[in-house]
Amino acid sequence: QERYDYQQIEQKWQKHWADTDMFRLQQEEGRPKYYCLEMFPYPSGNLHMGHVRVYSIGDVVARFKTMQGYNVLHPMGWDAFGLPAENAAIKHKVPPADWTWSNIANMRRQLQSMGISYDWEREVATCHPDYYKWTQWLFLQLYKAGLAYKKKANVNWCPDCATVLANEQVVDGLCERCDATVEKKALEQWFFRITDYAQRLLDDLNKLPGWPDKVKTMQENWIGRSEGVEADFALENPVGGVDKLTVYTTRQDTIFGVTYMVLAPEHPAVEALVSGNPREAELRAFIKKVLSQSEMDRTANDTEKEGVFTGHYCINPLTGDKVAVYLANYVLVDYGTGAVMGVPAHDQRDFEFATKYNIPMKVVIQPEGLPDLDVEEMDHAYEEEGRLVHSGEFDGLINTQALDVIADKLEREGKGVRKVKYRLRDWLISRQRYWGAPIPVIYCEKCGEVAVPDEQLPVMLPTDVEFTPSGESPLTTRPDFYECACPQCGGKGRRETDTMDTFVCSSWYFLRYCTPKDKDHAFLQEDVDYWMNVDQYIGGVEHAILHLMYARFFTKVLYDLKLVKVEEPFENLLTQGMVLMGGSKMSKSKGNTVSPEEIIAKYGADTARLFILFAAPPERDLEWSDRGVEGAHRFLHRVWRLVHAYSEQIAGVPGTLVGSDLSSLNGDDRELVRVAHYTVKKLTEDIGQRFNFNTAVSAIMEMVNHLYQYKDKVPAEQQNIPLVKDALARLVLVLAPFAPHVCEELWQVIGGGESVYKQPWPSYDEQALVRDEVEVVVQINGKVREKLQVANGLDGEALKAKALETEKVQALIAGKSVVKVITVPNKLVNIVVK
Ligand code: ANZ
Ligand code: ZN
């Protein structure tokens, strides 16, 4: 018997698949299409187990759909621009391009050693001029549509990376990459007007039933829609042209409880309030101090709320009360109006602020069914619901109802307007770094900002650039890059030296895959019309906000520009869990990684894939286990031996059951058929409907156990070899998406002919699933006394008769009278005796 030599088998089939273009895209007429996409990796150098997991999941889906007769698009590429290449280059003195391309070569080899069914002809790399030409072209489509603009902005600046970060890349005030504290810096930056799409991005989440709720919730929170009112508080003594302050509040129900007003120190009215103020020096010192604090420091719950009184007062529009105006660190300039009405009794931040500065408090909401609040005794704000008090005509209203009524009144009296606000900010896309797609804009003294004409694309990124971080783009050191002619007047122009955020590159790669080689278009209409949407997108939940939001935004923009016909790019989304080691995420920094390459060398790719698919449902975290890997490996050996045990007998035997008469089969044979069909059904549903790959694999394991039982129990001369052959064929077919190489080999051993992936996914016969016999429990007065094997579907009367005539029951009821017999067909008989 042949040994399971996985190394040799895996190499053999990988070569065969490549030589025969097995996974070259087929677009056959009459077949439905299926676009299976896994998030493309950043080419950091080596595959990690997280990659192995996501790409194994995708491959099961792609191979399954291929066997089901779909035209499958299953592409792979590289998210290849970005900072790590520059950092590595600085460290090791290799050009970012060389570093990136050699990493790509290595990771491509590693992916190929996993035997994933990619069509490598469609590979894309975002750092290739053939790709970024179109990233630039798309930038210009947005630019021409008024969706890309430049403005001076207070931006998040990471002093260590020496670059600007998008809001989304700042995590708790720290740089997502290097954990340095992020600072603010005012710089000219490019933005995409994603806020124009805020409401659609929010609404259309409803069109995505195939997305996990948690991801939709995260996007919803990130968009952060809130409904409130902008209310005007007139300044008691107008100064420097400022006669009122406008606050944004979502809690207009508390307006009678306002006891002070706060402005962000950056608020545009502050200058007028401060200049010439008797306390100007104190105020300016305070402003300077706040500006040096990071946004996180200013807003964190445990940060000391600090402020200063400006000496000015404004007037509450509903009560007419005089309200002191403060500046404070906890109000941000770029949310709402940058001005907040302080309601210390009902907002915790305000409570802390008022306590510190001895500002009065006023309760305007009383909880129901609890003792009344008393300002003197409160030690925190009351933020729950209740009835309005001290609120004039609104007294007695439930505060949630008062929201509308008070908004109405403010609007009626011209003192306020309802406003919808979003937390979402415009997407800052410029980076003062080298390794990215140059922004295709030229500045001309005469013509101003000029788009690079299409025929001049791509704006090539020069090689060998000095890119030590300086805060300016390294491209500013290359006159041969930035000196250029103005495309409009031919005069002296200067090229934009900033490059694009790499999230721009990854916002459209799924479209490029549809037409990866076209030199003249980003993508061809007919190709994207055919392939889009992505039917199944698979990737890490860490992309729940950024990448997925940006890709949705791009798709909507392209839809509006009539470049694509879909409004959402990803029909179904699966976010796979992490791979853990000892309970914490496998990561280089923790030093708890297991190298995929070593595992594959030691056990083979099929084992690695099978383990990872078996160890947990895809959305859950998965605990790495060497024993689990060995278990998966032993299982493949077991399958190997089983097929080989029959290889001689089944040679030449026609192995198909279709049409055979189930009722003519004896018990063991019938059960073998049932298990084989049941396994196919289970696999079809587990893969196709639920992505329960782990339970799918356990069903296969049970089937293998059953086949061994049959082999060992039924005397050799009585074994039904055509049935065995049929069962083995089904086994290999359903295991093939999980462990592709060994199944391709075993398919040959069975004599299946052409590649296992050219075979249709097996069907199952509902009739075969029906058990011939079922076990029925016999109870006497509710106690289980006996178990019977009876024909499936035996009716109540027959069941009762059968139970009553068994010896054991006869003995137990002897001398008693049967009061009642309850029967549940296929389940139980309960005999009640006295
Ligand atoms: C009065 C009030 C009373 C508020 C109360 C809350 C509770 P969302 O829901 O996130 O939109 N706010 C408005 N602009 C702000 C800014 N620039 N910096 C800091 N805080 C700001 O939050 C809206 C609420 O956040 C607003 O409602 C305002 O405080 C505060 F019992 O107004 B509220
Ligand atoms: Zn010009």
Side-chain angles (χ1 to χ4, degrees):
Q1 181 175 332
E2 240 184 284
R3 195 170 61 87
Y4 170 35
D5 182 350
Y6 44 89
Q7 303 290 11
Q8 182 261 329
I9 290 170
E10 292 184 359
Q11 277 164 25
K12 167 178 157 188
W13 289 107
Q14 281 163 18
K15 180 166 186 317
H16 178 83
W17 294 332
D19 291 349
T20 57
D21 288 337
M22 179 69 72
F23 302 115
R24 184 66 43 82
L25 183 92
Q26 307 279 332
Q27 206 168 319
E28 278 174 39
E29 221 160 305
R31 288 170 176 246
K33 70 92 188 179
Y34 194 89
Y35 188 171
C36 177
L37 181 65
E38 300 110 51
M39 290 178 185
F40 64 169
Y42 178 77
S44 55
N46 282 291
L47 285 194
H48 54 65
M49 277 304 167
H51 293 127
V52 174
R53 189 169 193 200
V54 61
Y55 301 129
S56 298
I57 292 170
D59 203 35
V60 171
V61 177
R63 286 179 188 261
F64 172 69
K65 289 291 172 184
T66 301
M67 292 170 79
Q68 278 198 323
Y70 287 79
N71 289 326
V72 172
L73 172 53
H74 191 212
M76 181 37 68
W78 311 97
D79 188 10
F81 272 138
L83 262 185
E86 272 177 78
N87 293 340
I90 292 161
K91 223 171 165 181
H92 307 299
K93 307 251 173 288
V94 262
D98 296 1
W99 184 86
T100 305
W101 287 111
S102 79
N103 285 351
I104 287 177
N106 188 49
M107 288 172 73
R108 185 193 301 115
R109 180 186 58 77
Q110 292 176 331
L111 276 176
Q112 285 169 344
S113 79
M114 285 178 64
I116 304 201
S117 63
Y118 295 129
D119 178 356
W120 285 101
E121 287 289 300
R122 304 181 91 78
E123 181 180 358
V124 302
T126 57
C127 67
H128 196 290
D130 286 349
Y131 186 93
Y132 70 71
K133 171 179 180 176
W134 298 111
T135 306
Q136 292 172 340
W137 183 82
L138 286 164
F139 170 92
L140 291 174
Q141 303 314 301
L142 269 78
Y143 180 68
K144 289 168 190 167
L147 293 169
Y149 67 95
K150 208 175 181 188
K151 74 164 187 210
K152 189 145 200 162
N154 237 339
V155 295
N156 301 305
W157 175 258
C158 171
D160 284 11
C161 299
T163 193
V164 167
L165 302 172
N167 282 340
E168 292 84 343
Q169 290 164 329
V170 181
V171 177
D172 297 333
L174 305 179
C175 170
E176 174 187 75
R177 295 201 195 85
C178 73
D179 282 350
T181 301
V182 174
E183 299 167 358
K184 288 281 175 189
K185 204 166 171 171
L187 290 171
E188 284 280 328
Q189 298 291 336
W190 283 94
F191 292 86
F192 281 160
R193 230 178 267 286
I194 192 172
T195 50
D196 275 12
Y197 285 74
Q199 191 61 44
R200 270 164 79 189
L201 287 166
L202 181 65
D203 289 342
D204 289 356
L205 289 172
N206 292 324
K207 296 185 187 162
L208 300 172
W211 280 39
D213 287 339
K214 64 166 185 219
V215 172
K216 288 189 277 189
T217 306
M218 286 162 87
Q219 293 221 345
E220 197 180 317
N221 291 339
W222 189 257
I223 295 168
R225 183 182 200 275
S226 79
E227 285 176 18
V229 166
E230 278 184 11
D232 294 336
F233 284 59
L235 214 54
E236 185 189 32
N237 300 309
V239 54
V242 178
D243 59 358
K244 65 174 186 197
L245 297 171
T246 303
V247 301
Y248 176 66
T249 178
T250 49
R251 293 296 307 278
Q252 61 273 17
D253 55 321
T254 63
I255 196 163
F256 285 76
V258 173
T259 56
Y260 69 104
M261 155 83 72
V262 221
L263 301 179
E266 305 93 329
H267 189 285
V270 167
E271 189 49 42
L273 301 185
V274 166
S275 105
N277 191 307
R279 303 155 75 175
E280 181 163 353
E282 186 198 344
L283 286 161
R284 290 209 188 276
F286 175 75
I287 294 169
K288 196 166 166 213
K289 178 175 169 198
V290 175
L291 291 188
S292 73
Q293 288 181 329
S294 73
E295 185 162 321
M296 172 180 75
D297 286 344
R298 286 174 57 172
T299 51
N301 279 334
D302 51 4
T303 301
E304 175 94 43
K305 286 156 193 65
E306 285 184 283
V308 359
F309 177 43
T310 60
H312 288 272
Y313 291 89
C314 59
I315 308 298
N316 185 321
L318 291 194
T319 62
D321 289 348
K322 245 173 82 169
V323 180
V325 180
Y326 284 74
L327 308 182
N329 61 349
Y330 74 98
V331 176
L332 302 174
V333 72
D334 54 6
Y335 187 71
T337 59
V340 173
M341 60 186 214
V343 186
H346 302 291
D347 180 282
Q348 186 58 26
R349 288 169 308 178
D350 297 351
F351 183 90
E352 289 165 27
F353 190 79
T355 307
K356 177 159 177 190
Y357 294 103
N358 281 316
I359 299 170
M361 302 193 194
K362 185 177 164 194
V363 170
V364 290
I365 298 175
Q366 286 294 5
E368 286 191 281
L370 288 171
D372 275 358
L373 298 168
D374 176 354
V375 178
E376 300 301 314
E377 279 157 25
M378 285 170 76
D379 56 5
H380 61 87
Y382 178 73
E383 296 184 331
E384 323 296 307
E385 291 187 12
R387 279 191 197 277
L388 294 199
V389 294
H390 307 304
S391 299
E393 62 192 278
F394 305 106
D395 278 1
L397 285 180
I398 304 266
N399 73 303
T400 47
Q401 297 168 340
L403 282 171
D404 247 344
V405 189
I406 293 182
D408 284 344
K409 167 136 179 157
L410 285 164
E411 286 191 332
R412 227 175 19 247
E413 298 190 351
K415 291 171 175 164
V417 275
R418 284 184 164 84
K419 271 276 153 75
V420 171
K421 303 264 179 196
Y422 302 90
R423 205 172 83 92
L424 187 70
R425 305 282 90 165
D426 274 345
W427 174 12
L428 197 171
I429 59 135
S430 44
R431 297 289 180 274
Q432 291 68 51
R433 294 298 296 234
Y434 162 66
W435 191 233
I439 293 175
V441 169
I442 292 167
Y443 304 98
C444 166
E445 272 174 29
K446 263 202 243 134
C447 316
E449 230 171 69
V450 183
V452 173
D454 285 1
E455 62 278 8
Q456 288 179 23
L457 297 179
V459 176
M460 291 285 285
L461 194 58
T463 47
D464 86 77
V465 166
E466 181 51 56
F467 45 74
T468 312
S470 65
E472 290 222 309
S473 167
L475 295 176
T476 55
T477 64
R478 291 284 296 252
D480 59 331
F481 174 80
Y482 64 74
E483 284 176 358
C484 65
C486 166
Q488 243 164 52
C489 70
K492 212 172 139 212
R494 185 185 164 100
R495 229 177 251 299
E496 172 63 78
T497 49
D498 285 0
T499 54
M500 281 184 246
D501 180 6
T502 60
F503 277 111
V504 179
C505 312
S506 58
S507 288
W508 72 282
Y509 76 114
F510 44 92
L511 298 171
R512 184 66 180 169
Y513 279 141
C514 301
T515 315
K517 294 269 156 24
D518 198 284
K519 293 264 180 217
D520 305 315
H521 306 85
F523 43 81
L524 288 176
Q525 190 79 53
E526 54 177 301
D527 289 334
V528 288
D529 286 353
Y530 181 79
W531 288 110
M532 288 299 286
N533 293 347
V534 173
D535 293 275
Q536 185 63 54
Y537 198 29
I538 306 164
V541 74
E542 67 275 16
H543 292 296
I545 295 173
L546 303 182
H547 163 60
L548 290 171
M549 186 83 82
Y550 294 150
R552 294 181 63 219
F553 164 63
F554 250 67
T555 305
K556 289 182 191 306
V557 171
L558 297 178
Y559 173 86
D560 290 349
L561 296 174
K562 304 219 163 14
L563 289 167
V564 301
K565 291 208 176 76
V566 294
E567 272 193 88
E568 283 290 335
F570 312 124
E571 194 71 34
N572 293 291
L573 172 70
L574 186 142
T575 50
Q576 90 278 1
M578 291 185 296
V579 181
L580 308 179
M581 176 67 121
S584 60
K585 182 179 174 172
M586 260 193 198
S587 76
K588 256 198 200 153
S589 57
K590 292 206 190 75
N592 61 351
T593 58
V594 176
S595 133
E597 200 152 2
E598 280 170 26
I599 293 292
I600 291 171
K602 190 161 172 204
Y603 299 101
D606 285 338
T607 292
R609 297 169 52 137
L610 190 71
F611 162 71
I612 232 161
L613 292 162
F614 176 55
E619 301 86 0
R620 296 278 188 77
D621 289 348
L622 175 159
E623 183 67 47
W624 184 263
S625 146
D626 291 335
R627 284 183 53 203
V629 177
E630 274 161 22
H633 192 59
R634 273 197 309 275
F635 172 71
L636 291 180
H637 272 285
R638 194 166 151 77
V639 175
W640 178 268
R641 285 194 308 271
L642 177 69
V643 173
H644 279 86
Y646 282 109
S647 60
E648 277 170 24
Q649 284 164 281
I650 61 181
V653 170
T656 166
L657 174 96
V658 182
S660 80
D661 180 7
L662 291 168
S663 64
S664 71
L665 299 176
N666 72 32
D668 290 322
D669 291 350
R670 181 67 186 79
E671 185 62 4
L672 180 62
V673 173
R674 191 192 65 76
V675 170
H677 283 248
Y678 168 78
T679 309
V680 170
K681 177 182 157 87
K682 174 99 172 119
L683 268 281
T684 309
E685 291 171 359
D686 277 357
I687 302 176
Q689 295 167 17
R690 299 186 279 261
F691 291 144
N692 278 348
F693 303 132
N694 55 328
T695 55
V697 174
S698 30
I700 297 176
M701 291 175 170
E702 281 164 30
M703 176 177 185
V704 170
N705 287 344
H706 194 88
L707 275 154
Y708 268 102
Q709 273 169 30
Y710 183 92
K711 172 171 153 297
D712 297 337
K713 180 179 147 196
V714 179
E717 61 290 356
Q718 285 172 29
Q719 294 190 8
N720 186 332
I721 295 303
L723 286 192
V724 170
K725 179 166 179 175
D726 176 81
L728 290 176
R730 286 169 192 278
L731 167 67
V732 171
L733 288 168
V734 299
L735 182 59
F738 298 85
H741 310 84
V742 66
C743 289
E744 191 75 288
E745 181 75 20
L746 292 175
W747 188 247
Q748 305 309 312
V749 174
I750 292 175
E754 244 196 314
S755 162
V756 72
Y757 302 103
K758 297 279 180 192
Q759 309 303 319
W761 183 255
S763 58
Y764 56 90
D765 177 358
E766 286 289 349
Q767 237 14 84
L769 299 178
V770 178
R771 277 175 202 262
D772 231 8
E773 295 201 320
V774 292
E775 193 177 78
V776 166
V777 188
V778 181
Q779 300 176 335
I780 296 175
N781 289 348
K783 266 206 177 141
V784 177
R785 296 296 191 180
E786 177 68 313
K787 287 176 183 161
L788 298 177
Q789 296 295 324
V790 305
N792 188 351
L794 200 66
D795 67 29
E797 273 311 302
L799 209 52
K800 172 177 165 187
K802 244 202 145 85
L804 288 172
E805 78 200 7
T806 60
E807 259 178 59
K808 193 155 179 198
V809 172
Q810 290 273 332
L812 284 164
I813 64 176
K816 300 185 176 149
S817 65
V818 175
V819 183
K820 195 158 81 173
V821 180
I822 301 155
T823 58
V824 182
N826 285 356
K827 291 232 161 65
L828 113 170
V829 179
N830 186 16
I831 304 165
V832 183
V833 293
K834 257 210 300 227

